[in-house]
Structure formats: structure tokens, C-alpha cells
């Protein structure tokens, strides 16, 4: 396996395989009281994980046993093995009634590396260093913000402003009923200036599947979707 294609030229250094995506033995969901989060990986593979929403790397802590938590926690994990490429990471969101999550409605979570949202130059949710809240018009305020820059680009160029994320849905009983790695992009035009912004969510084959196989809407017949909009 190779990280870069080299058509017409010699192959570079290759890898013997790709590690499996780790699995949560403790199901993400809404809990009461302290729990211990357990994960598993393929034979000979080492799990590394984060709890700050960043993507796991070879420098992240090694999973060596259950992770005990009692407040809202996101665990992101990936498997590593010498001579192998690291496969897809997995994200588990664990929510707690004692930490303010006690709703009668379904819950959606989006998890992404914080820089994907807040980096001043490339964060899709960021106001940025050139933001001018005192500009003469609302339109001028928008155009000074980092989050508005993709609106000036072609559709193809806007793809560079998509960011990898984990998208999960929890039902009214607090059970996770859907989880998939996706791309996210800020939705709308003038609505980007609001404090709470919408998101376009798109399934991509580069993360495993180019469809989201779930019946998100009870009043529609569709059982899979290419994209969704989370409205603010």
C-alpha cells in the first residue's frame, strides 16, 4: 500500500497493510454515573486516543485499559502498527445527564479537530484576524470574516473549505443510532454571520462510504442520504 500514486514512475516506500478501525466495546450514548470506556483493535495493533477532539497520532496516549469518565467526553481513537498505514479513526461521544444532557428530543453531535473550526486563517467557523465587526454594513462585516471566504470561490475551490468530522445521532432514549465519518462545511450565505451557524454534511468515500445509510426522517421513504443540512 502506498500513500501517494506515482503513475509512470517507480513506486515509493510501501506498507504491508492498513490497520483496522478500532471498536468501542462501550457503546457511545447518554449515561448516568461514572462509566469505563473500553475499546478493541486488530491483532498486534496499538490504539492511541485523544479526549480533546484532535485526531489521534503516533504521539497520542496509548490505550492500555478502560477510560473512566463521569462527564461529557469525546474519545477519538485510531490503530497503529509498525510497517502499516493507520486506518480510519473512530469517534465516541459519551454524554451524561449530570452534565446537563437530559433531553426528550434526539441529539446530533459533530466532532472535528478544533483547528478545523477555530484556526484564524482556515477555521470554517472563525471570525479571523481581519474581522471588522464595526464595518459600515452587515455585508462588509461578513466579507471581513474567515468563515465567509469560501463564498468568493468557485464550487470546486470551495471543496478546500470542507473539513473531516464525525457525525452521530442519538435517539430519544439516549442510544447512538448512527455514527459516520463525513465532511462538513458552513451552510448558507448571510446566515453565516449569526452566532450559531448551519452545517452542510456530506458522505465521502474517502472516509469509508459515500452514503449515510439511515432513515433520518420518519415522514420520508428514503433510507440513505448523500448529504444533509443541519440548520441553525
Amino acid at each position: 500500500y502506498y500513500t501517494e500514486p506515482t503513475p509512470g514512475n517507480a513506486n515509493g516506500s510501501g506498507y504491508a497493510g492498513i490497520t483496522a478501525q478500532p471498536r468501542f466495546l462501550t457503546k457511545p450514548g447518554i449515561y448516568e454515573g461514572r462509566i469505563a470506556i473500553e475499546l478493541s483493535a486488530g491483532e498486534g495493533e496499538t490504539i492511541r486516543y485523544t479526549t480533546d477532539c484532535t485526531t489521534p497520532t503516533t504521539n497520542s496516549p496509548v490505550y492500555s485499559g478502560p477510560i473512566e469518565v463521569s462527564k461529557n467526553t469525546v474519545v477519538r481513537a485510531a490503530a497503529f502498527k509498525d510497517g502499516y498505514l493507520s486506518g480510519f479513526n473512530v469517534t465516541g461521544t459519551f454524554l451524561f445527564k449530570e452534565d446537563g444532557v437530559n433531553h426528550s428530543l434526539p441529539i446530533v453531535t459533530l466532532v472535528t479537530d478544533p483547528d478545523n473550526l477555530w484556526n484564524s486563517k482556515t477555521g470554517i467557523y472563525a471570525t479571523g484576524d481581519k474581522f471588522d465587526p464595526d464595518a459600515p454594513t452587515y455585508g462588509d462585516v461578513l466579507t471581513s470574516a474567515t468563515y465567509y471566504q469560501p463564498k468568493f470561490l468557485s464550487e470546486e475551490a470551495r471543496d478546500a473549505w470542507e473539513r473531516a468530522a464525525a457525525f452521530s445521532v442519538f435517539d430519544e432514549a439516549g442510544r447512538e443510532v448512527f455514527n459516520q465519518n463525513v465532511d462538513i462545511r458552513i451552510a448558507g450565505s448571510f446566515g453565516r454571520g449569526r452566532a450559531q451557524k448551519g452545517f452542510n454534511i456530506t458522505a465521502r468515500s474517502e472516509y469509508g462510504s459515500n452514503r449515510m445509510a439511515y432513515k433520518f426522517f420518519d415522514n420520508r421513504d428514503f433510507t440513505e442520504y448523500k448529504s444533509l443540512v443541519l440548520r441553525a
Side-chain angles (χ1 to χ4, degrees), residues 2-228:
Y2 300 90
T3 56
E4 297 290 340
T6 55
N9 295 291
N11 292 329
S13 298
Y15 297 84
I18 303 173
T19 62
Q21 187 179 39
R23 293 190 306 112
F24 280 100
L25 301 180
T26 306
K27 187 74 172 174
I30 302 175
Y31 288 88
E32 293 184 70
R34 179 175 292 272
I35 63 170
I37 302 170
E38 296 187 67
L39 298 105
S40 68
E43 184 176 353
E45 297 175 358
T46 299
I47 297 175
R48 291 182 178 271
Y49 72 97
T50 64
T51 55
D52 61 359
C53 294
T54 57
T55 303
T57 69
T58 53
N59 296 320
S60 300
V62 173
Y63 172 79
S64 58
I67 305 166
E68 293 196 0
V69 298
S70 58
K71 62 180 181 179
N72 298 338
T73 300
V74 171
V75 177
R76 307 190 76 185
F80 298 86
K81 185 177 181 179
D82 289 342
Y84 280 65
L85 286 170
S86 182
F88 297 122
N89 62 66
V90 65
T91 300
T93 301
F94 299 85
L95 303 172
F96 291 84
K97 292 183 178 180
E98 296 89 342
D99 206 7
V101 182
N102 191 12
H103 309 300
S104 59
L105 293 172
I107 293 172
V108 163
T109 64
L110 286 179
V111 178
T112 189
D113 192 299
D115 274 351
N116 287 340
L117 297 182
W118 308 117
N119 181 281
S120 64
K121 293 182 174 59
T122 60
I124 63 174
Y125 218 97
T127 52
D129 299 332
K130 298 180 180 180
F131 181 63
D132 183 6
D134 300 318
T137 69
Y138 181 61
D140 292 330
V141 172
L142 285 177
T143 57
S144 71
T146 297
Y147 57 69
Y148 204 80
Q149 299 316 299
K151 298 296 290 184
F152 300 113
L153 304 175
S154 66
E155 184 62 29
E156 183 177 344
R158 290 180 196 177
D159 290 346
W161 286 81
E162 288 189 334
R163 300 289 181 263
F167 170 47
S168 298
V169 178
F170 302 83
D171 67 13
E172 294 90 340
R175 298 168 299 193
E176 184 185 69
V177 293
F178 181 81
N179 178 294
Q180 187 168 315
N181 291 335
V182 297
D183 264 333
I184 59 173
R185 184 192 293 187
I186 298 298
S189 186
F190 269 34
R192 291 169 183 250
R194 300 189 182 116
Q196 187 179 46
K197 310 179 199 314
F199 283 96
N200 294 329
I201 299 172
T202 307
R204 301 289 188 201
S205 56
E206 63 193 89
Y207 304 123
S209 176
N210 67 350
R211 291 291 186 275
M212 290 175 277
Y214 185 70
K215 187 176 173 63
F216 291 101
F217 305 104
D218 290 337
N219 62 341
R220 293 181 177 269
D221 295 332
F222 304 114
T223 57
E224 65 175 33
Y225 291 81
K226 173 64 178 176
S227 61
L228 297 167

